[in-house]
Amino acid sequence: MQMTLRWYGSKYDTVTLKQIRQIPGVTGVISTLYATEPGEAWKTADILSLKKEIQDAGLELAGIESVNIHDAIKIGSPDRDRFIDNYITTLERLGQADIHLVCYNFMPVFDWTRTELARMRPDGSTVLAYTQEAVDALSPEDMFASINGDANGSILPGWEPQRMAHIKELFALYKDVDEEKLFANLKYFLERIMPVCDKYDINMAIHPDDPAWSVFGLPRIIINKANILRMMKMVDNPHNGVTFCSGSYGTNLENDLPDMIRSLKGRIHFAHVRNLKFNSPTDFEESAHLSRDGSFDMYQIMLALYETGFNGPIRPDHGRMIWDEVAMPGYGLYDRALGATYLNGLWEAIEKQHF
Ligand code: DNO
């Protein structure tokens, strides 16, 4: 595996490449062209300049998170082919730039959803948190207003103000999209992009829906073992793969994370590994990565990745806000650096045990 950190680019991130380069064992970053809109064909010059900036800092651009999917593709509207053509152009250009990993999600309207961006924990750190009761009490517009107000001035992925300005229209467009339609639209998209992925050896890695259930009545399908295996079979090509995100699948306590990893052997191209602490089945907070700070056995998660031969990029995922850092919620330097170091330690121990 290759340890990486997500980086939002020099324009948007409070964390610098120099700082990332100094975290022991981190050799790459995962990034994207944040100024692009979903549905747009990326320019080769922009891809190459992002890559060069990262290489000049002594790191590798280990993959793209995300090339976002235009809503027309998820809805299956008549203009979807135009946006898929642009997606294919982007993939071609990424392949030509020797980039072979693309993370994306197929969540309608929103990306990940949290109800608090700065819940205080007993040690004074603040974390992202979720309670179903709060979601049930809010309209999507209120939810956006509260998330935006707490974001320390940064734009959270999937909650871009330009898109959220059209939230009502977006919901109306998804009116007839149920789970089966969403599966069919995902299949259509994957079948169209697989030839270019085969040609350039690009691993597509779908990110799970977070939380792993329907919110605001919108369908969500990448939520559990049965559905993800259905998706793998539906387009049975190794380039159709997964971002295994422990913190997203883990939102549903019925998901047995090590077992899911084992069942996805060979199809996990990217891993997000973080812990959650459950206060009740519908109230969780993003704890430190350490097993005993949360509800997951992080050793078993890393062991399952190791034993299934996982060799892609991995990243600590969201971190707590500690040591008075001011950064995009979940994406500060300090706690993610601690997370990377902890995961590297688990991996080293597992490797030595298996030698
Ligand atoms: C949250 C991330 C997600 C992820 C997208 C992938 O912090 O894990 O925003 O990047 O869902 O498209």
Side-chain angles (χ1 to χ4, degrees), residues 66-83:
S66 313
V67 181
N68 282 318
I69 313 267
H70 194 278
D71 285 295
I73 299 174
K74 298 182 222 171
I75 293 162
S77 43
D79 54 347
R80 69 174 152 180
D81 282 309
R82 183 159 62 88
F83 295 111

Side-chain angles (χ1 to χ4, degrees), residues 67 69 73 80 83-84 87-88 91 104 106 183-194 204 235:
V67 181
I69 313 267
I73 299 174
R80 69 174 152 180
F83 295 111
I84 298 179
Y87 207 97
I88 290 172
L91 291 176
Y104 69 105
F106 219 69
F183 262 118
N185 295 341
L186 176 56
K187 181 164 190 268
Y188 182 91
F189 166 71
L190 286 169
E191 281 172 346
R192 284 219 46 212
I193 66 166
M194 278 299 119
M204 294 300 295
V235 179

Side-chain angles (χ1 to χ4, degrees), residues 6 65-66 103-105 107 111-112 207 272 318 331:
R6 188 179 197 176
E65 178 178 352
S66 313
C103 171
Y104 69 105
N105 72 75
M107 284 178 252
D111 196 321
W112 56 276
H207 190 280
H272 291 177
H318 306 162
Y331 285 99

Side-chain angles (χ1 to χ4, degrees), residues 78-278:
D79 54 347
R80 69 174 152 180
D81 282 309
R82 183 159 62 88
F83 295 111
I84 298 179
D85 290 342
N86 286 349
Y87 207 97
I88 290 172
T89 302
T90 298
L91 291 176
E92 262 168 2
R93 292 177 180 163
L94 288 170
Q96 285 156 1
D98 208 15
I99 294 165
H100 301 281
L101 170 70
V102 171
C103 171
Y104 69 105
N105 72 75
F106 219 69
M107 284 178 252
V109 187
F110 306 111
D111 196 321
W112 56 276
T113 304
R114 290 292 169 273
T115 52
E116 289 152 79
L117 299 183
R119 181 187 286 182
M120 180 83 78
R121 299 195 79 216
D123 62 4
S125 61
T126 61
V127 295
L128 301 161
Y130 183 95
T131 44
Q132 190 58 41
E133 294 68 22
V135 170
D136 294 343
L138 282 178
S139 69
E141 291 90 332
D142 293 342
M143 177 102 166
F144 168 67
S146 87
I147 286 207
N148 207 32
D150 284 351
N152 290 337
S154 42
I155 295 170
L156 298 173
W159 293 87
E160 297 80 8
Q162 322 83 278
R163 287 182 67 249
M164 290 303 113
H166 302 288
I167 200 164
K168 281 224 166 73
E169 289 108 288
L170 272 172
F171 266 79
L173 289 169
Y174 278 97
K175 180 171 56 56
D176 296 324
V177 182
D178 60 10
E179 289 182 8
E180 286 308 310
K181 276 230 175 84
L182 203 55
F183 262 118
N185 295 341
L186 176 56
K187 181 164 190 268
Y188 182 91
F189 166 71
L190 286 169
E191 281 172 346
R192 284 219 46 212
I193 66 166
M194 278 299 119
V196 74
C197 294
D198 291 340
K199 180 165 177 204
Y200 291 100
D201 190 22
I202 296 177
N203 284 328
M204 294 300 295
I206 196 163
H207 190 280
D209 302 350
D210 186 353
W213 55 78
S214 157
V215 280
F216 299 121
L218 294 163
R220 291 192 150 197
I221 53 176
I222 309 303
I223 54 173
N224 57 25
K225 181 173 165 182
N227 284 20
I228 190 67
L229 291 182
R230 171 177 172 184
M231 176 188 164
M232 294 299 103
K233 266 205 210 100
M234 175 172 99
V235 179
D236 201 6
N237 178 325
H239 291 122
N240 169 30
V242 170
T243 297
F244 193 86
C245 176
S246 61
S248 303
Y249 283 121
T251 56
N252 183 344
L253 286 168
E254 282 170 20
N255 284 333
D256 175 342
L257 302 174
D259 171 63
M260 286 180 80
I261 294 171
R262 291 203 163 83
S263 72
L264 286 162
K265 187 173 167 52
R267 300 294 275 271
I268 300 180
H269 299 315
F270 184 26
H272 291 177
V273 183
R274 66 179 158 89
N275 205 348
L276 292 178
K277 179 167 174 49
F278 281 84

Side-chain angles (χ1 to χ4, degrees), residues 21-43:
R21 175 80 176 82
Q22 292 170 354
I23 307 169
V26 172
T27 58
V29 296
I30 298 290
S31 193
T32 188
L33 294 180
Y34 284 97
T36 55
E37 300 267 332
E40 199 178 313
W42 291 12
K43 297 197 181 69

